[in-house]
Amino acid sequence: MYTWISNIFVLCLKEIKSLFSDLVLVALMIYFFTVAVVVASRGAGMEVKNAPVAVVDHDRSELSRAIVQSVRPPFFKLPEYIETDEVQRHMDLGDYYFVIDIPPNYQEKMLRGDNPKIQLLVDATAMTLAGSGTGYITRMISDGIVDFLTDKHPVQRSDLIQAGSAVNVLFNPNSSAIWQMSVIQIVGNLTLLTLMLSGAAVIREKERGTIEHLLVMPVSASEIAISKIIANGLVIVIMALLSLWLIVNTYLEVPVRGSFALLSAGMMIYVMSFASLGILLAVLAPSMPQFGLLCIPVYMLVYLLSGGTSPVESMPEYMQSAIQISPTAHMVSFIQDVVHRGSTIRDVYQHLIVLTVLGLVFIIIAVSRFKSMLSKQ
C-alpha cells in the first residue's frame, strides 16, 4: 500500500508539471474561472430589464395617461406613442417587444363599470422576455388602473383591494440573476475543464509516445489512471474555489454562506467522478479531435439536464428519474444549498453519498478500460 501511494504521489507531481508546461491550457483555465464567470453572470441576465414598449392610445384620457405612466424603468423603457398603422412594421423590425393598445372611450367605459379590455401585443420571439415581461407589464397596468379608480372613488378602495401581501425573499432579496448564474457557471466550467484536462492527459501520452515510457516503469495501470484523476482534479478544484472566493464572493458580491471546507470536499468528489469519465472517453477516442467530439455531447447533456438552467421539476417525470444518475444534477443541488442557504453536511450528505458512489463506479470502469488500452500497446 505504501508503494502504491508513493507511486501515485510521484506520478501526480509529474502530471501537474506536465499540465503547467502547457501554457494554452493554463490560460484556458484562468479564463474559464475569471472572465467567463463574470461575463456569463453580468451579461446573461434572465430577468426583464429595459424592454422597449410602445403605446397606441385611442382614448387620450387621464386614465390612459395613468396606464402609460405605470410602465416604467428598470423593467421597461419609457413607453413611446405610435399610430395603429405603425404597429406591424415596428413589431416586425423588433423595435418594440410590447405594444399596449388602449381602445377609444376607455376611461368613460371603465367609470361606467363596463369593464373594457386593453389589448397587449407581445413579440414572443424572445421567449423568456415575453413570458416574464407579460406578467410584469400586466401587473403594472392593473396597478395603474386601481390607483386611478381609487383616487376617483376613494370609498371603493376596500372593494378594489381586498387583501395585501408581504413577500420576504430569504436567499436572494433583490432577485438578482447574478446569484444563480455565477454559481452555475462555475459548475459548468468545472465540468467541462475536468473532462478536457483528464482526457487530454491520456491523449497527450498517446500522441507523444510517452505512454511506452510509463509501461516500462514499475507502476501499475491503476496508479497511472488515478494519478491523472487526482492531479488534474486537484488543480481544477483549487481554481474553482479561488474563483468562488475572489470572483463570486468578492467581485460580484454574491455571499457564500456555507463552509469552504464542505465545498472543497464536494467539489473534489465530483471532479473525481468526471475525471474518470474523461479518461474513459480518452481511452475510446484515438485522437484529440475525436475526444473533443465525444466531450461536447456528454457535457451538453449533463449540463442542460442538471437543473441549473431550468428547474428539475419542469422536466417530464421519467427524465427527473433518469438524471439522478448524473453527478452534475447532484452537484448543482449541493453547491446551491451550501453557497446560498449555508447548508451543513447534515443537510447535503445524501448528495455527497450519491456523488461518491457514482465516482467509484466511474473510476472502476475507467481503470478497467485504461488497463485494456495499455495491454494493447
Side-chain angles (χ1 to χ4, degrees):
M1 178 60 69
Y2 174 78
T3 304
W4 189 79
I5 295 175
S6 300
N7 289 341
I8 288 179
F9 177 76
V10 174
L11 289 171
C12 282
L13 295 179
K14 192 263 306 179
E15 288 296 328
I16 293 174
K17 182 179 178 181
S18 175
L19 174 61
F20 282 100
S21 66
D22 193 332
L23 297 181
V24 175
L25 282 179
V26 173
L28 186 66
M29 287 190 295
I30 295 173
Y31 167 80
F32 264 110
F33 287 116
T34 53
V35 178
V37 174
V38 174
V39 171
S41 303
R42 292 193 181 277
M46 306 192 63
E47 67 271 9
V48 178
K49 189 175 183 181
N50 294 325
V53 181
V55 177
V56 179
D57 190 356
H58 297 284
D59 191 32
R60 301 287 178 177
S61 64
E62 186 179 355
L63 176 55
S64 67
R65 287 192 294 272
I67 292 172
V68 174
Q69 291 172 1
S70 67
V71 181
R72 54 190 180 271
F75 300 111
F76 303 95
K77 293 181 179 179
L78 293 175
E80 299 179 4
Y81 288 94
I82 61 174
E83 300 299 326
T84 304
D85 56 358
E86 299 176 321
V87 172
Q88 189 64 49
R89 180 172 61 87
H90 284 295
M91 293 289 282
D92 290 342
L93 293 174
D95 296 333
Y96 303 107
Y97 291 142
F98 304 93
V99 176
I100 304 171
D101 192 339
I102 304 175
N105 305 318
Y106 182 77
Q107 177 177 320
E108 180 184 343
K109 294 178 181 178
M110 179 64 73
L111 294 176
R112 201 166 55 227
D114 292 344
N115 194 24
K117 305 298 182 183
I118 290 178
Q119 184 179 34
L120 178 63
L121 303 176
V122 182
D123 180 5
T125 55
M127 293 179 60
T128 302
L129 183 63
S132 302
T134 300
Y136 287 1
I137 200 169
T138 302
R139 177 62 183 271
M140 288 181 175
I141 292 173
S142 299
D143 289 345
I145 295 172
V146 169
D147 291 341
F148 174 81
L149 293 178
T150 52
D151 287 340
K152 291 295 182 181
H153 304 281
V155 294
Q156 298 179 8
R157 178 175 293 272
S158 60
D159 297 330
L160 292 168
I161 305 176
Q162 297 293 336
S165 62
V167 179
N168 295 315
V169 182
L170 183 59
F171 304 122
N172 189 357
N174 295 325
S175 299
S176 172
I178 292 178
W179 284 42
Q180 165 83 358
M181 294 300 297
S182 59
V183 174
I184 296 303
Q185 187 67 23
I186 286 181
V187 175
N189 294 344
L190 189 72
T191 304
L192 182 59
L193 280 176
T194 301
L195 280 174
M196 289 175 54
L197 295 185
S198 58
V202 176
I203 297 291
R204 279 199 308 265
E205 300 278 11
K206 292 196 293 185
E207 290 184 342
R208 295 175 181 175
T210 54
I211 195 76
E212 287 81 4
H213 298 171
L214 293 176
L215 292 175
V216 299
M217 294 175 62
V219 293
S220 63
S222 62
E223 292 170 350
I224 298 172
I226 292 176
S227 66
K228 293 182 183 297
I229 293 171
I230 294 176
N232 289 283
L234 186 62
V235 172
I236 295 171
V237 167
I238 291 174
M239 296 198 71
L241 289 172
L242 287 174
S243 177
L244 197 62
W245 175 40
L246 297 175
I247 303 299
V248 174
N249 184 253
T250 304
Y251 180 71
L252 297 177
E253 298 180 347
V254 177
V256 178
R257 301 175 183 270
S259 165
F260 270 89
L262 182 58
L263 283 170
S264 303
M267 285 184 180
M268 199 65 198
I269 295 172
Y270 173 71
V271 163
M272 292 301 174
S273 63
F274 252 89
S276 304
L277 183 58
I279 288 181
L280 180 60
L281 294 178
V283 170
L284 299 175
S287 64
M288 187 67 78
Q290 292 183 355
F291 170 70
L293 291 175
L294 284 175
C295 283
I296 292 173
V298 171
Y299 167 73
M300 294 299 294
L301 182 65
V302 298
Y303 181 69
L304 293 177
L305 298 179
S306 65
T309 55
S310 62
V312 174
E313 291 75 15
S314 65
M315 302 177 188
E317 291 187 4
Y318 70 89
M319 188 61 69
Q320 295 182 35
S321 302
I323 64 173
Q324 297 307 310
I325 63 172
S326 169
T328 311
H330 295 278
M331 184 60 192
V332 167
S333 299
F334 167 81
I335 200 169
Q336 286 179 333
D337 288 344
V338 176
V339 171
H340 296 320
R341 300 179 177 89
S343 300
T344 63
I345 191 169
R346 290 186 298 178
D347 305 311
V348 297
Y349 74 92
Q350 292 179 331
H351 294 302
L352 293 177
I353 292 174
V354 174
L355 287 172
T356 302
V357 171
L358 291 174
L360 290 174
V361 171
F362 288 154
I363 288 175
I364 292 171
I365 297 174
V367 171
S368 174
R369 295 296 300 173
F370 190 71
K371 286 181 178 179
S372 299
M373 183 199 73
L374 292 182
S375 65
K376 298 176 184 178
Q377 297 294 320

